[in-house]
């Protein structure tokens, strides 16, 4: 640019900054900002807003807030757009109190919340299942003289579709048209997705025809929605045929299209086909994103190829992209599943040094891995350090530790964690009950077991039917340990994860626990189907 006698200005730098953030190339963002300062250019409001937006999308909210402080110091005051990005960031993080605090801060600065502000909050309330509060905000729009836009209607359509109320969603579409807004690709993609999930493929394809008749270009999202449904139904050959014929149907393939089918192949234990599709994607010069890399990393880890998953992570880093929590958690889970917990911890520590922010999922994966390998003390130490740092835990965290303590007959410690769990209003649930009740019975403390059951039922912690099912059920179904294990096995079978289901089944045999007959038959049928599919693949 300089060779042509043109010097880059703020607009030039801002355009490139925005593009780099969208690609997740954070290191290059920092280099460009440094170069901008060397050129004697002062960041303007647009520059700061690009930084705020980029950090919020990455989930780096503290960094985004620091940018806002820097804006104020440099007398470049934040605007409505700045606050809308921050509110969106905190909503995505589930921190609605902070989002509402920012809305109040806006108003104190004479910055009036607009329809974007409301749409962000409404959408998050719906996503959290707090529909009454969402509808209250929709009513508030009228009170403040703010007109709902197409996005507002699409948010409501999405919620009704998520609730399985497709007829109600269609009413909102009609209401949308009456208010002067034409349903767009987002509207139809949402309806197509809902119909796909409901198994109404005929209606989904009819919607696609409606899009065509209305002159709406059928975008990649529509294709990916159909691909996702076909993969979930394990119709992988049909999905692959659709992928190959996409251009003829007017679709454009992207990395999500390939990532969806790659995930489908891995879920169906067809790792070789997934790897082949990965190479095909690159041959077509479709650049992988963090999403696609995550699909590969997850699949390789699930296939017991965690070292190859590490290679894929290195490739991701070398491309200048930023891995997310899913990337790291997947690899940690892979090491733990292979029994290499020490490697998982080493990887975790190394990544923390490189700015990885572990979340509750990370903690639960590591705790589960440590407990499974008999490293209970190390698990308790990790748990305590996590609590001291003020990080969040959930019922899974406590159930993992309580179960392991019970297996080692450390019931007093288990009861101690149970008290903590109750104080934090995280339970107990049927899994907690099953672990403690089984340990009490096996320790010969039958009166305590009976008393524990009575307290749990009386306080409404567990359903009466869990411990006193009807007389038509067999003894093994009455055993709470059997209930817990049976549910876990059934859950894995429903997801096609028969290896994991078989591993749990072997654990029940070693512990002398009998699962119910329907679970046993479910597992056997699944393994037979799996064996047949492997035989077909070999043939």
């Amino acid at each position: 640019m300089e060779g042509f006698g043109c010097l880059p200005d703020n607009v030039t730098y801002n355009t490139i900054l925005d593009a780099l953030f969208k690609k997740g190339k954070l290191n290059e963002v920092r280099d460009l900002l440094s170069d901008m300062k060397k050129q004697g250019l002062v960041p303007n409001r647009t520059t700061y807003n690009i930084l705020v937006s980029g950090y919020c999308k990455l989930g780096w909210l503290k960094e985004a807030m620091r940018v806002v402080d820097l804006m104020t110091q440099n007398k470049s005051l934040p605007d409505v757009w700045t606050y809308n990005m921050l509110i969106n960031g905190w909503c995505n993080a589930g921190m609605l109190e902070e989002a509402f605090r920012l809305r109040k801060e806006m108003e104190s600065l004479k910055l009036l919340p607009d329809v974007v502000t409301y749409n962000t909050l409404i959408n998050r309330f719906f996503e959290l299942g707090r529909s009454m509060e969402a509808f209250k905000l929709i009513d508030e729009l009228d009170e403040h003289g703010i007109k709902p836009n197409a996005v507002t209607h699409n948010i409501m359509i999405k919620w009704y579709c998520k609730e399985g109320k497709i007829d109600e969603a269609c009413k909102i579409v009609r209401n949308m048209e009456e208010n002067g807004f034409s349903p767009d690709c987002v509207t139809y993609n949402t309806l197509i997705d809902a119909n796909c999930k409901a198994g109404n493929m005929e209606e989904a394809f009819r919607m696609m025809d409606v899009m065509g008749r209305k002159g709406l270009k059928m975008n990649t999202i529509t294709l990916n929605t159909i691909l996702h449904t076909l993969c979930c139904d394990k119709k992988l050959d049909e999905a692959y045929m659709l992928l190959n014929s996409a251009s003829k149907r007017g679709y454009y393939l992207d990395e999500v299209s390939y990532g969806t089918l790659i995930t489908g192949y891995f879920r169906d234990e067809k790792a070789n086909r997934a790897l082949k599709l990965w190479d095909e994607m690159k041959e077509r010069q479709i650049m992988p994103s963090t999403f696609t890399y995550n699909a590969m990393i997850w699949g390789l880890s699930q296939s017991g190829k965690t070292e190859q998953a590490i290679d894929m992570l290195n490739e991701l880093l070398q491309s200048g992209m930023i891995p997310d929590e899913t990337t790291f958690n997947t690899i940690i889970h892979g090491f733990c599943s292979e029994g290499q917990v020490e490697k998982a911890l080493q990887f975790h520590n190394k990544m923390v040094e490189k700015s990885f922010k572990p979340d509750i999922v990370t903690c639960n994966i590591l705790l589960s891995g440590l407990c499974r390998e008999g490293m209970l003390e190390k698990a308790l130490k990790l748990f305590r350090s996590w609590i001291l740092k003020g990080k969040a835990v959930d019922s899974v965290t406590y159930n993992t530790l309580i179960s392991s303590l019970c297996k080692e007959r450390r019931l007093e410690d288990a009861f101690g964690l149970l008290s903590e769990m109750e104080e934090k209003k995280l339970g107990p649930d049927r899994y907690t009950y099953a672990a403690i009740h089984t340990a009490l019975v096996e320790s010969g403390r039958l009166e305590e077991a009976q008393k524990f059951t009575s307290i749990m039922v009386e306080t409404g912690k567990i359903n009466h039917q869990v411990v006193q099912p009807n007389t038509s059920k067999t003894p093994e179904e009455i055993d709470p340990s059997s209930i817990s294990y049976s549910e876990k096995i059934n859950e894995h079978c429903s997801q096609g994860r028969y290896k994991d289901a078989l591993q749990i089944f072997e654990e029940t045999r070693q512990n002398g626990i009998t699962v119910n007959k329907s679970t046993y038959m479910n597992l056997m049928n699944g393994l037979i189907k799996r064996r047949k599919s492997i035989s077909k693949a070999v043939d």
Side-chain angles (χ1 to χ4, degrees):
M1 192 171 177
E2 291 176 24
F4 290 98
C6 299
L7 291 174
D9 57 9
N10 280 69
V11 175
T12 316
Y13 279 99
N14 289 342
T15 304
I16 299 169
L17 276 173
D18 189 42
L20 289 172
F21 257 121
K22 284 174 181 174
K23 289 285 183 182
K25 296 186 176 183
L26 200 58
N27 291 333
E28 292 181 38
V29 165
R30 287 168 182 156
D31 292 341
L32 195 67
L33 282 170
S34 177
D35 186 61
M36 189 178 182
K37 288 178 183 177
K38 285 177 186 176
Q39 295 288 339
L41 293 170
V42 179
N44 58 19
R45 183 183 286 166
T46 304
T47 316
Y48 288 120
N49 279 344
I50 289 167
L51 292 170
V52 170
S53 172
Y55 281 130
C56 284
K57 284 173 183 174
L58 287 169
W60 295 21
L61 299 174
K62 288 182 180 177
E63 287 79 358
M65 296 295 276
R66 285 194 199 105
V67 172
V68 175
D69 290 340
L70 198 61
M71 276 179 94
T72 309
Q73 288 169 23
N74 292 333
K75 297 179 181 179
S76 181
L77 295 176
D79 56 12
V80 173
W81 197 89
T82 319
Y83 275 98
N84 282 344
M85 288 309 305
L86 286 170
I87 288 168
N88 185 57
W90 286 107
C91 279
N92 288 338
M95 306 283 283
L96 282 168
E97 286 183 10
E98 181 61 20
F100 271 97
R101 187 195 68 76
L102 285 166
R103 191 181 74 158
K104 284 184 180 178
E105 191 176 293
M106 277 179 82
E107 291 166 347
S108 68
L109 293 171
K110 308 296 181 187
L111 295 171
L112 295 177
D114 59 10
V115 70
V116 176
T117 321
Y118 277 95
N119 284 344
T120 304
L121 294 166
I122 290 164
N123 185 53
R124 192 55 184 158
F125 272 126
F126 274 135
E127 285 177 346
L128 293 172
R130 295 162 65 176
S131 57
M132 285 182 68
E133 288 155 289
F135 281 115
K136 188 178 176 183
L137 283 171
I138 291 167
D139 292 337
E140 208 175 289
L141 281 169
D142 288 333
E143 292 169 16
H144 288 82
I146 301 169
K147 290 185 177 181
N149 61 10
V151 175
T152 321
H153 289 90
N154 281 336
I155 289 167
M156 287 190 280
I157 290 164
K158 183 175 75 171
W159 181 76
Y160 279 121
C161 285
K162 188 181 176 183
E163 294 293 304
K165 299 175 180 178
I166 299 175
D167 290 341
E168 292 295 322
C170 290
K171 285 180 185 177
I172 299 295
V173 174
R174 289 192 289 272
N175 182 253
M176 185 178 184
E177 290 173 318
E178 287 167 8
N179 288 336
F181 298 105
S182 296
D184 55 18
C185 286
V186 174
T187 317
Y188 285 108
N189 283 320
T190 304
L191 292 167
I192 288 167
D193 181 58
N195 280 293
C196 284
K197 285 175 180 173
N200 303 327
M201 293 302 290
E202 190 178 333
E203 180 62 17
F205 282 112
R206 191 192 70 78
M207 286 279 177
M208 289 171 68
D209 292 337
V210 171
M211 286 180 77
R213 288 198 301 272
K214 289 195 172 186
L216 291 170
K217 191 174 180 181
M218 291 182 269
N219 61 20
T220 311
I221 298 170
T222 316
L223 170 70
N224 292 341
T225 300
I226 302 290
L227 279 174
H228 177 74
T229 304
L230 290 171
C231 287
C232 287
D233 291 343
K234 296 196 174 182
K235 296 177 180 177
L236 300 176
D237 291 338
E238 288 180 45
Y240 185 70
M241 284 171 64
L242 177 60
L243 195 73
N244 281 334
S245 64
S247 57
K248 293 175 184 175
R249 292 170 177 258
Y251 293 114
Y252 292 97
L253 297 174
D254 65 2
E255 78 282 357
V256 178
S257 313
Y258 278 93
T260 302
L261 188 49
I262 284 168
T263 303
Y265 280 137
F266 274 124
R267 285 191 188 280
D268 207 39
E269 299 184 7
K270 292 175 179 173
N272 290 335
R273 291 192 71 176
L275 291 165
K276 188 179 176 183
L277 194 61
W278 172 263
D279 293 335
E280 189 181 306
M281 180 185 74
K282 287 190 165 183
E283 283 169 15
R284 292 194 181 187
Q285 296 185 331
I286 295 172
M287 297 304 294
S289 63
T290 303
F291 167 81
T292 337
Y293 274 110
N294 282 347
M296 286 296 293
I297 289 166
W298 174 83
L300 290 166
S301 298
Q302 286 290 106
S303 305
K305 299 175 181 179
T306 307
E307 292 298 341
Q308 278 183 251
I310 294 282
D311 293 337
M312 197 61 69
L313 171 63
N314 290 331
E315 187 182 311
L316 184 156
L317 292 166
Q318 285 165 14
S319 69
M321 280 185 269
I322 303 294
D324 57 18
E325 282 77 11
T326 303
T327 320
F328 295 121
N329 286 338
T330 301
I331 292 175
I332 291 167
H333 183 266
F335 277 129
C336 288
S337 296
E338 292 172 15
Q340 301 186 68
V341 186
E342 289 296 344
K343 273 194 175 183
L345 287 166
Q346 287 167 16
F347 176 78
H348 166 268
N349 295 338
K350 190 177 177 182
M351 291 303 106
V352 167
E353 289 171 9
K354 293 184 178 182
S355 300
F356 164 49
K357 295 181 171 75
D359 58 14
I360 194 167
V361 177
T362 322
C363 177
N364 289 341
I365 291 168
L366 287 170
L367 288 178
S368 178
L370 289 165
C371 289
R372 193 163 52 242
E373 294 302 312
M375 302 163 75
L376 180 55
E377 286 305 319
K378 209 163 189 175
L380 289 167
K381 188 178 177 182
L382 174 66
F383 170 71
R384 290 301 171 200
S385 68
W386 191 265
I387 295 290
L388 285 170
K389 288 174 186 174
K391 295 192 175 183
V393 291
D394 60 11
S395 60
V396 176
T397 318
Y398 278 100
N399 282 340
T400 301
L401 293 170
I402 288 170
S403 179
S404 292
L405 286 166
C406 286
K407 283 175 186 175
E408 294 197 7
R409 302 293 181 266
R410 291 171 59 177
L411 281 161
E412 299 313 313
D413 291 331
F415 276 114
L417 285 180
L418 175 64
S419 297
E420 277 185 35
M421 194 180 187
E422 288 179 309
E423 283 172 20
K424 293 177 181 177
K425 297 181 180 178
L426 294 172
D429 55 23
R430 63 170 62 193
Y431 295 108
T432 329
Y433 165 75
I436 293 176
H437 184 272
T438 302
L440 286 168
V441 170
E442 290 178 356
S443 300
R445 296 161 66 172
L446 301 179
E447 287 186 13
E448 286 179 69
Q450 192 174 3
K451 186 178 178 182
F452 177 65
T453 300
S454 299
I455 292 169
M456 292 286 281
V457 172
E458 286 168 12
T459 54
K461 305 293 184 189
I462 58 168
N463 193 296
H464 193 270
Q465 292 178 343
V466 171
V467 289
Q468 286 190 349
N470 63 56
T471 53
S472 64
K473 291 189 177 180
T474 57
E476 67 267 18
E477 289 177 308
I478 296 171
D479 178 12
S481 299
S482 171
I483 294 169
S484 179
Y485 277 105
S486 295
E487 285 184 351
K488 287 179 184 177
I489 292 169
N490 284 330
E491 184 180 350
H492 284 309
C493 286
S494 68
Q495 295 171 357
R497 295 163 63 184
Y498 298 111
K499 275 186 180 178
D500 293 335
L502 187 59
Q503 189 178 345
I504 294 171
F505 178 69
E506 288 297 330
E507 188 179 326
T508 63
R509 288 179 63 187
Q510 290 169 15
N511 294 331
I513 298 167
T514 308
V515 297
N516 63 53
K517 290 176 183 177
S518 61
T519 301
Y520 180 79
M521 292 304 295
N522 194 9
L523 176 59
M524 290 304 105
N525 288 334
L527 291 170
I528 290 165
K529 284 180 187 175
R530 181 171 171 266
R531 186 170 294 175
K532 283 181 180 177
S533 66
I534 292 170
S535 299
K536 284 180 184 177
V538 171
D539 293 339

